[in-house]
Amino acid sequence: MNILVFAENQDGNFKKAVFEAISYASQMSAGQISVVSIGKVDEAKLVALGNYGAHKVFNYNQDYLMNFNGELYSKVIAHAAKSCNAEVVVISNTYSGKMVAPRVAAQLNAGIAAGVISLPDTQAGFKVRRSVFSGKAFADVAINTSIKVLAITPNSFTIIESSNTCAVELADAGLSADDAKTKSIEIARASGKIPLTEAELVVSAGRGMKGPENWNLVEELADTLGAATACSKPVSDMHWRPHSEHVGQTGITIKPNLYIAIGISGAIQHLAGVSSSKVIVAINKDPEAPFFKAADYGIVGDAFEILPKITAAAKAFKAQQA
């Protein structure tokens, strides 16, 4: 089975989700694992994708592809899929992935499954499991087309290192900037932080922190743990924190190994974005807060007293491990 993986990069660097996607593909098949990279990336980083199972990289680095454009990128990915006779195209279900995956499927007349959380079952056809209803349920989907597009959920699969020799081939889809009906005017990214969609540890807080002036307690704990920071919708609506940190049904959906919720009541809209976390810890002074029903561990008490103690304990533990 020939598989093509879309390797999304940011400023010439590959995200963790790319390594997950290539590892996923290598577990799916012992056949050819090809990768399509779009934009300027150092050749050494392209060759290093062999460490995760890639055999070949198609590198499209034309000037008109320097900024992400869903229309153009989907055409390039489809071109690469045809070049390597891919039977399956694997794309990480990130924001960019969500824009290109359906377009790629349309370009290739392929069936598509988004939010995939399992390796395919090929014993009788081709079936995958996907997360539905904001992580509240699962659906087993059969794809019957000759080409399949799988958009896999980030943080759902283990990165597995390999020792493949990876070749890099310069490629050109024969397109131009005029082939896109839409133009990217500006791309604004949060910098200097662990991306929420890739974070394995997340410390999040809500209105219980009483104001932005108290967020230093949240940030200190996050820094100590090496975690990303997040917030509830009311907090971002009141501009205490940037909207890029809003997790929930109308914000970012995350799946960290550990999610610490501080002063967040646990409304269903918030839980929809974090319920796939492997371990949830809720801290709230209200013993009836709904979050406690969803949490694996709960601490009833004042966050302003609890957070400094947790941070101190984490610092002491790290000092012992040093």
Side-chain angles (χ1 to χ4, degrees):
M1 182 187 297
N2 292 336
I3 303 175
L4 177 71
V5 180
F6 170 46
E8 177 186 352
N9 77 81
Q10 183 173 316
D11 299 326
N13 297 307
F14 291 119
K15 299 181 176 182
K16 174 189 171 187
V18 169
F19 308 137
E20 292 176 358
I22 299 174
S23 297
Y24 174 88
S26 66
Q27 292 178 76
M28 191 192 312
S29 170
Q32 177 81 6
I33 308 299
S34 300
V35 173
V36 51
S37 173
I38 306 175
K40 297 287 186 183
V41 180
D42 290 342
E43 185 169 350
K45 294 179 180 178
L46 297 174
V47 172
L49 295 178
N51 295 335
Y52 305 97
H55 298 102
K56 185 175 184 178
V57 176
F58 294 96
N59 183 23
Y60 295 79
N61 62 5
Q62 290 75 33
D63 289 341
Y64 67 89
L65 296 172
M66 291 305 101
N67 291 323
F68 176 81
N69 181 289
E71 288 181 86
L72 292 176
Y73 274 41
S74 62
K75 291 178 180 179
V76 168
I77 296 169
H79 181 270
K82 293 173 183 176
S83 298
C84 66
N85 296 315
E87 299 164 74
V88 179
V89 179
V90 177
I91 298 172
S92 184
N93 205 34
T94 60
Y95 282 127
S96 300
K98 290 175 182 178
M99 291 183 67
V100 300
R103 289 184 167 106
V104 171
Q107 295 270 342
L108 299 174
N109 292 319
I112 181 173
V116 173
I117 57 171
S118 75
L119 287 167
D121 179 356
T122 57
Q123 293 182 348
F126 190 100
K127 293 182 180 180
V128 290
R129 175 162 291 185
R130 56 186 297 263
S131 176
V132 295
F133 300 118
S134 299
K136 294 296 183 184
F138 304 110
D140 292 328
V141 179
I143 305 178
N144 300 319
T145 52
S146 58
I147 301 175
K148 291 92 173 166
V149 174
L150 305 180
I152 67 172
T153 301
N155 279 346
S156 294
F157 302 98
T158 302
I159 294 174
I160 300 175
E161 295 194 10
S162 175
S163 57
N164 284 356
T165 299
C166 186
V168 178
E169 177 182 317
L170 292 176
D172 190 340
L175 303 170
S176 71
D178 294 333
D179 288 296
K181 297 178 182 179
T182 59
K183 309 292 181 183
S184 296
I185 305 301
E186 180 184 4
I187 298 176
R189 294 189 178 98
S191 60
K193 299 179 180 180
I194 302 171
L196 271 172
T197 53
E198 298 184 20
E200 296 184 0
L201 308 175
V202 176
V203 177
S204 184
R207 284 179 292 184
M209 293 307 296
K210 299 182 180 179
E213 68 277 4
N214 297 317
W215 230 261
N216 62 301
L217 296 173
V218 178
E219 292 176 327
E220 186 179 6
L221 176 58
D223 290 342
T224 302
L225 297 175
T229 56
C231 68
S232 61
K233 185 177 186 298
V235 166
S236 64
D237 287 346
M238 291 185 289
H239 304 291
W240 291 3
R241 300 298 292 176
H243 284 283
S244 60
E245 292 190 1
H246 166 208
V247 293
Q249 187 173 32
T250 56
I252 299 172
T253 299
I254 59 175
K255 192 176 182 180
N257 292 331
L258 173 64
Y259 181 73
I260 301 177
I262 306 159
I264 301 175
S265 63
I268 188 65
Q269 292 85 352
H270 184 82
L271 290 173
V274 304
S275 60
S276 294
S277 304
K278 292 181 175 63
V279 177
I280 296 176
V281 177
I283 302 172
N284 203 299
K285 65 180 181 181
D286 179 8
E288 301 300 323
F291 224 136
F292 287 126
K293 295 180 180 179
D296 298 283
Y297 300 94
I299 302 175
V300 178
D302 189 338
F304 295 98
E305 297 178 3
I306 293 170
L307 286 185
K309 294 179 180 179
I310 295 177
T311 301
K315 288 181 178 178
F317 177 79
K318 290 182 69 176
Q320 290 176 358
Q321 302 302 310

